[in-house]
Amino acid sequence: MPATKGYTMLSINSLTKTYSKSSVKAVNNLNLKLNAGEIFGFLGPNGAGKSTTIKCLTGILPYENGTIEICGHELKADPVKAKRHIGYVPDGGVAYDKLTGLEYINFMSDMYGVSTEDRKARAELYLAKFGLTESAGKPIKSYSHGMQQKINIIGALIHEPELWVLDEPMTGLDPQSAYELKELMREHCNKGYTVFFSSHVLDVVEKICDRVGIINKGELVSVFDIKELKEKRADLSLEEFFLSVTK
């Protein structure tokens, strides 16, 4: 069920991640809270720690210090319950590309316990939105990169997750599909859910996000409200602010 406004969907406390064979911390003592009903943009230069943070909070990567709570469930203590509240769109291809698009949607629906009625209605809606209705019966490995990205998005949204996590979701999307994705992100938040997405497309972040966090060299260097930034620094674009913070 949608959460009430102000409810903490994601709480990251003192997250620290170091890769083996490296003395440099990929993520260093990161603290962040995301609330119900907001779109949060996560920015940073290449190698800053964006994808590492996302892979830690989705349970893909282990981390040596810190805690991550998703809808009140601590990830290490109760990983299954925590992950049931997440929908994740990675920055790579689809893992199960030998399945057809519809088989993949049904697989994801089974994983999250989506009813037959709900999955059918949602699948029809999202496949039509992204122009995949005619391709749903074909193997995903035959899809273009953009089509694979679309089926990834549908698979991550089919169970209406409270926390929708997207890593560079616009990559490979045509203008119409990018528009549909942005509309879905806003609709998701209007239901009381939360979107957390990483992107290099700063003008998109500036237009659709409620808040933004900037990570640089593994450290969260700034978190701010987009409206407040525009009010206080009307002469400064998000791009200019981002570059001033990450130089």
Side-chain angles (χ1 to χ4, degrees):
M1 293 292 291
T4 56
K5 192 172 182 179
Y7 177 80
T8 301
M9 287 286 196
L10 172 67
S11 178
I12 303 176
N13 298 290
S14 304
L15 176 65
T16 301
K17 167 65 181 177
T18 307
Y19 288 102
S20 59
K21 300 180 182 178
S22 175
S23 59
V24 178
K25 294 177 180 177
V27 178
N28 185 23
N29 196 36
L30 188 144
N31 295 279
L32 181 64
K33 290 186 186 297
L34 301 190
N35 300 316
E38 70 171 336
I39 299 179
F40 189 91
F42 197 44
L43 306 178
N46 289 336
K50 299 190 304 298
S51 290
T52 298
T53 301
I54 287 174
K55 286 176 181 176
C56 286
L57 76 88
T58 52
I60 295 171
L61 286 177
Y63 46 94
E64 56 265 32
N65 290 311
T67 60
I68 298 174
E69 288 188 9
I70 300 155
C71 297
H73 302 286
E74 210 284 313
L75 184 59
K76 284 186 176 179
D78 203 342
V80 174
K81 282 188 178 178
K83 292 176 187 178
R84 290 190 70 84
H85 297 278
I86 301 174
Y88 173 48
V89 179
D91 60 351
V94 183
Y96 305 100
D97 62 356
K98 292 183 180 179
L99 299 178
T100 67
L102 197 55
E103 286 172 343
Y104 178 69
I105 291 171
N106 281 321
F107 169 72
M108 295 298 289
S109 298
D110 289 340
M111 288 284 289
Y112 289 97
V114 182
S115 69
T116 302
E117 183 180 0
D118 284 343
R119 77 176 66 181
K120 184 176 184 295
R122 292 171 192 170
E124 288 178 356
L125 172 66
Y126 298 142
L127 287 169
K129 272 185 177 292
F130 288 115
L132 290 179
T133 303
E134 299 299 321
S135 305
K138 298 177 182 178
I140 294 171
K141 63 181 179 181
S142 70
Y143 289 8
S144 68
H145 176 74
M147 291 168 69
Q148 289 192 19
Q149 184 72 342
K150 294 175 196 178
I151 206 71
N152 249 338
I153 291 166
I154 295 171
L157 194 57
I158 197 71
H159 61 293
E160 285 205 345
E162 285 92 335
L163 179 62
W164 196 19
V165 181
L166 306 98
D167 195 356
E168 298 292 347
M170 305 294 176
T171 304
L173 295 184
D174 56 83
Q176 180 63 40
S177 297
Y179 173 81
E180 295 293 352
L181 175 58
K182 288 181 282 187
E183 289 292 294
L184 284 173
M185 291 165 73
R186 179 48 62 191
E187 289 171 13
H188 201 64
C189 287
N190 289 342
K191 293 176 182 177
Y193 301 131
T194 301
V195 173
F196 178 37
F197 86 108
S198 158
S199 180
H200 285 300
V201 189
L202 298 186
D203 60 335
V204 170
V205 172
E206 190 167 16
K207 287 177 182 176
I208 70 171
C209 286
D210 302 298
R211 288 195 302 144
V212 171
I214 299 176
I215 187 171
N216 192 37
K217 297 179 181 178
E219 297 190 0
L220 193 63
V221 294
S222 183
V223 177
F224 53 92
D225 184 286
I226 284 286
K227 287 184 179 179
E228 289 181 3
L229 177 66
K230 290 180 179 179
E231 290 171 0
K232 293 178 181 178
R233 299 294 302 274
D235 60 323
L236 196 67
S237 69
L238 177 59
E239 181 180 33
E240 290 168 330
F241 181 73
F242 171 78
L243 293 173
S244 71
V245 169
T246 57
K247 275 185 178 177

